[in-house]
Amino acid sequence: MTDRDRTRADAVYAALLERAGERWVQPRKERTARLLEYLDDPQKTYRVVHVTGTNGKTSTSRIIESLVRAHGLRTGLFTSPHLERFTERITVDGEPIGDAAVADAWDEIVPFVEIVDAELDAQGEEPLTFFELLTALAFVAFADAPIDVLVLEVGMGGAWDSTNTADGDVAVFAPIDLDHAERLGETIAEIAEVKSGIIKDGAAVVSARQHPAAAEVLRAAAAARGASIAFEGEGFAVAEQRLAVGGQQVTVRGLAGTYSDEYLPLYGAHQGFNAALAIAAVESLVGGGAQPIAGDVLAEGLGQATSPGRLQLVGVDPTVLVDAAHNPHGARALSAALRESFDFDEWGVVLGILGDKDAAGIVEELAPIAAHVFATAPASDRAAHPDAIADLAEARGAGVTVHGDLAEAVEAARAWAVSADRRAVVIAGSVVLAGEAVMLGQSEDWKAGWSR
């Protein structure tokens, strides 16, 4: 990477940020489809595993990508949001896309962006948005690479998401819960209906365990489209999990085989379930049907799986973890994982939440493991005020202090942790906060005592 390449890539991100942001979501994919049509539909040049759900979809996507890559196939992975730099969202063969490649792809699409923007303006509509353009940019970059298989994470929902301009050979459903209710619906069934829109005719569908209302919707959608469907607990399952150094050993009963005592370098029972879902997805993809995964391939794929910002160790002496849990379901999984995977008596929770999230629900799930809450705010104009977070935590019986920014909160949390034996710190509540924490761990001021 040269300085010129980085400058070009930074200019791409600046141009994207000039567009309506990721929170500006309308239920339509036609605008993205129009742009892609001008670009000769690059998203149709590779096979696609399409992943949606409320929680766990990023980790599941990353495990799928690692397993596919272990088969010797060239992979693309599209996820959101990013923790540090936007190129993390577009990875090729397990690495963030190069600055030159993303800038070249941008240069390819700009003339056609101008055409579509002009058409939209003539119709009285706003220009293409950040996420619409990012999706098209990724599709072009993957076609240019080129890749064999794209693991594609939905931005929001499914049916009308920009990513749904691609046709998934396999549709993957992580657990569906209440989130983005103002956009997706106020019930689990309504949200599942939107998410079920990623199922394409004749596709293979694999799903985590779901609320009965969500499962009913997914079964009906699969039947209507002539798609096969397999649920965790019926078609595949985690048979056994036990702690191991740096992660866990899992035994998975897949769709086409049983895989015993496989090492997964990720903490938390929920990551074992994500791995089982990923295995079922890859079994469904490889060979055009449910085919077993060779033992050496599975070991390599699981062993190389990573999930940045998900129970990520960023500090030692004291132990400091980062987790992007940003809704009650994610906070519940985090709370369970801290109990199951770590041997500490007390946890200090550095907590910052965006204002449009269910802060009360997040606090309720984390309060049982929080000896002390260090309330702060993510660096976002959407952040909830730390005082509001503190009030919720105090009402749940936790000790609370309020801090103006993350650095101050972490400094206080680390001091608290070293003041007594068997204490540790977890930073949670927002993907934005998680990204800040990872970057903080890299700064010169925080090198001492921090681990990569």
Side-chain angles (χ1 to χ4, degrees):
M1 178 183 70
T2 67
D3 289 343
R4 178 176 179 275
D5 290 336
R6 187 176 181 93
T7 298
R8 291 177 66 213
D10 288 346
V12 172
Y13 189 50
L16 290 170
L17 290 176
E18 292 176 358
R19 301 284 171 151
E22 292 181 89
R23 298 299 300 173
W24 192 93
V25 178
Q26 293 293 322
R28 61 189 177 202
K29 62 179 183 178
E30 292 78 14
R31 295 152 55 102
T32 308
R34 182 62 173 157
L35 175 59
L36 292 169
E37 183 180 357
Y38 279 121
L39 293 163
D40 290 332
D41 287 320
Q43 77 281 11
K44 295 182 179 180
T45 62
Y46 31 75
R47 301 188 71 190
V48 174
V49 180
H50 207 173
V51 185
T52 190
T54 303
N55 287 286
K57 59 182 182 291
T58 299
S59 294
T60 300
S61 296
R62 294 182 69 91
I63 299 171
I64 293 170
E65 185 277 331
S66 187
L67 287 169
V68 173
R69 181 159 34 94
H71 280 82
L73 297 170
R74 189 163 169 80
T75 59
L77 174 66
F78 182 67
T79 60
S80 60
H82 60 275
L83 292 177
E84 299 177 56
R85 196 158 180 260
F86 87 106
T87 51
E88 297 168 19
R89 301 182 184 217
I90 305 169
T91 69
V92 177
D93 272 352
E95 297 294 333
I97 190 170
D99 287 342
V102 79
D104 288 347
W106 178 255
D107 288 345
E108 284 185 57
I109 75 172
V110 164
F112 302 102
V113 171
E114 293 172 352
I115 292 171
V116 174
D117 278 347
E119 292 175 351
L120 292 170
D121 182 64
Q123 297 164 12
E125 294 190 41
E126 295 296 316
L128 291 159
T129 67
F130 177 104
F131 193 73
E132 289 169 340
L133 282 182
L134 183 66
T135 302
L137 175 67
F139 287 159
V140 168
F142 290 134
D144 288 346
I147 63 167
D148 300 309
V149 177
L150 170 60
V151 183
L152 179 63
E153 180 189 335
V154 164
M156 183 184 293
W160 40 258
D161 187 73
S162 294
T163 64
N164 206 32
T165 50
D167 292 333
D169 299 86
V170 182
V172 181
F173 292 87
I176 296 171
D177 209 326
L178 296 174
D179 199 17
H180 300 298
E182 74 285 0
R183 299 290 187 184
L184 304 181
E186 297 182 354
T187 69
I188 287 177
E190 289 174 343
I191 293 172
E193 186 68 41
V194 176
K195 293 182 184 294
S196 73
I198 71 166
I199 300 174
K200 300 302 194 298
D201 291 345
V205 181
V206 293
S207 174
R209 294 179 190 270
Q210 301 289 357
H211 184 284
E216 182 179 356
V217 169
L218 297 184
R219 288 186 196 277
R225 293 163 190 144
S228 64
I229 187 165
F231 283 91
E232 178 195 342
E234 299 174 6
F236 62 95
V238 176
E240 185 180 0
Q241 290 175 279
R242 65 177 186 273
L243 291 177
V245 176
Q248 58 188 290
Q249 296 288 135
V250 296
T251 295
V252 174
R253 174 175 58 80
L255 295 173
T258 296
Y259 312 98
S260 299
D261 293 325
E262 298 289 346
Y263 178 65
L264 179 69
L266 301 173
Y267 294 108
H270 62 292
Q271 294 288 18
F273 294 117
N274 291 339
L277 181 59
I279 287 170
V282 175
E283 287 178 319
S284 299
L285 177 76
V286 176
Q291 299 291 324
I293 302 172
D296 57 339
V297 172
L298 185 72
E300 179 183 342
L302 291 182
Q304 293 184 355
T306 62
S307 192
R310 275 75 181 175
L311 278 174
Q312 180 179 350
L313 178 68
V314 295
V316 293
D317 194 25
T319 293
V320 181
L321 300 171
V322 170
D323 194 272
H326 60 279
N327 56 37
H329 188 279
R332 190 180 317 133
L334 170 60
S335 183
L338 294 179
R339 292 191 189 97
E340 296 161 357
S341 301
F342 300 92
D343 188 23
F344 293 103
D345 291 339
E346 293 186 308
W347 286 95
V349 180
V350 176
L351 190 60
I353 303 171
L354 297 181
D356 56 355
K357 296 296 182 180
D358 182 2
I362 293 170
V363 171
E364 182 176 355
E365 296 294 345
L366 294 179
I369 57 96
H372 192 102
V373 171
F374 301 84
T376 187
S380 169
D381 56 9
R382 295 163 47 213
H385 197 284
D387 286 342
I389 305 302
D391 289 345
L392 291 169
E394 192 170 32
R396 296 290 300 175
V400 180
T401 49
V402 177
H403 305 274
D405 59 30
L406 177 64
E408 178 188 314
V410 171
E411 184 175 1
R414 294 176 72 203
W416 171 87
V418 299
S419 68
D421 292 336
R422 299 176 61 77
R423 283 180 171 178
V425 176
V426 62
I427 304 168
S430 162
V431 177
V432 176
L433 194 75
E436 287 183 71
V438 171
M439 293 180 71
L440 182 63
Q442 298 174 12
S443 67
E444 292 301 322
D445 292 342
W446 289 86
K447 287 291 185 183
W450 286 76
S451 170
R452 288 296 291 154

